Amino acid sequence: MTTLKTKPNDQSVEAYIESIADEKKRADCKTIAELMETISGQPPVMWNGGIVGFGSYHYKYASGREGDWFLTGFASRKQSLTLYIMAGFDQYDELMEQLGKYKTGKSCLYIKKLEDIDQEVLKKLIKASILYLKKQYGEN
């Protein structure tokens, strides 16, 4: 069985955010961190790969693969801010229509800047995703 490379570590979330060179992106990350901490009720934790995660859950697939992952999180990347909405987006069509300007991957929401999206809709999306994950997998 392969070992996950993305794990929590003891690096400083504050130092990570302060190291973001772009002032606007750094401010957006501070806002996102506060928002995710409030919604999840969990403190931010650095994960390998430059990801700030909140909370965690244990998953186990039918294949036998299992591991621990964060409930929600974000990372500052060169092209955009990446927000991790681990439940994916298929079940949230109505919220996605109201969100604003973004792109998605399987569980990644890519935004250029926080002002491009409706933060109230983002809060609903994060909350719905966390509730879904807790119902599916419980919480660590």
Side-chain angles (χ1 to χ4, degrees):
M1 186 178 285
T2 60
T3 304
L4 288 174
K5 293 179 185 177
T6 306
K7 298 178 182 178
N9 61 54
D10 60 358
Q11 294 177 341
S12 166
V13 172
E14 186 176 327
Y16 167 76
I17 293 173
E18 290 302 323
S19 74
I20 299 168
D22 182 278
E23 188 177 325
K24 178 68 175 133
K25 195 177 275 190
R26 185 172 55 248
D28 284 353
C29 286
K30 287 179 182 179
T31 300
I32 292 166
E34 290 170 7
L35 184 145
M36 288 183 168
E37 183 171 6
T38 298
I39 293 169
S40 70
Q42 298 293 319
V45 173
M46 286 304 303
W47 288 61
N48 295 357
I51 298 171
V52 179
F54 298 81
S56 65
Y57 66 98
H58 186 80
Y59 64 86
K60 185 172 184 176
Y61 298 132
S63 66
R65 182 178 172 187
E66 62 183 292
D68 295 308
W69 206 250
F70 48 87
L71 290 167
T72 193
F74 71 92
S76 175
R77 304 293 187 217
K78 185 177 181 178
Q79 295 297 319
S80 61
L81 296 170
T82 302
L83 283 65
Y84 297 94
I85 309 296
M86 302 315 302
F89 305 100
D90 294 341
Q91 56 193 328
Y92 305 116
D93 290 340
E94 188 176 320
L95 288 174
M96 300 308 288
E97 288 174 11
Q98 301 169 26
L99 188 57
K101 187 176 175 183
Y102 65 88
K103 292 182 181 178
T104 61
K106 184 173 177 140
S107 295
C108 297
L109 179 68
Y110 304 104
I111 61 172
K112 293 283 184 186
K113 51 190 182 270
L114 202 49
E115 65 193 38
D116 286 344
I117 61 169
D118 184 320
Q119 288 187 42
E120 291 306 311
V121 174
L122 178 61
K123 289 175 187 178
K124 291 176 186 176
L125 180 62
I126 294 168
K127 186 174 185 175
S129 175
I130 290 173
L131 290 173
Y132 172 82
L133 291 171
K134 286 181 177 181
K135 185 177 179 184
Q136 283 294 112
Y137 301 103
E139 186 177 8
N140 286 349

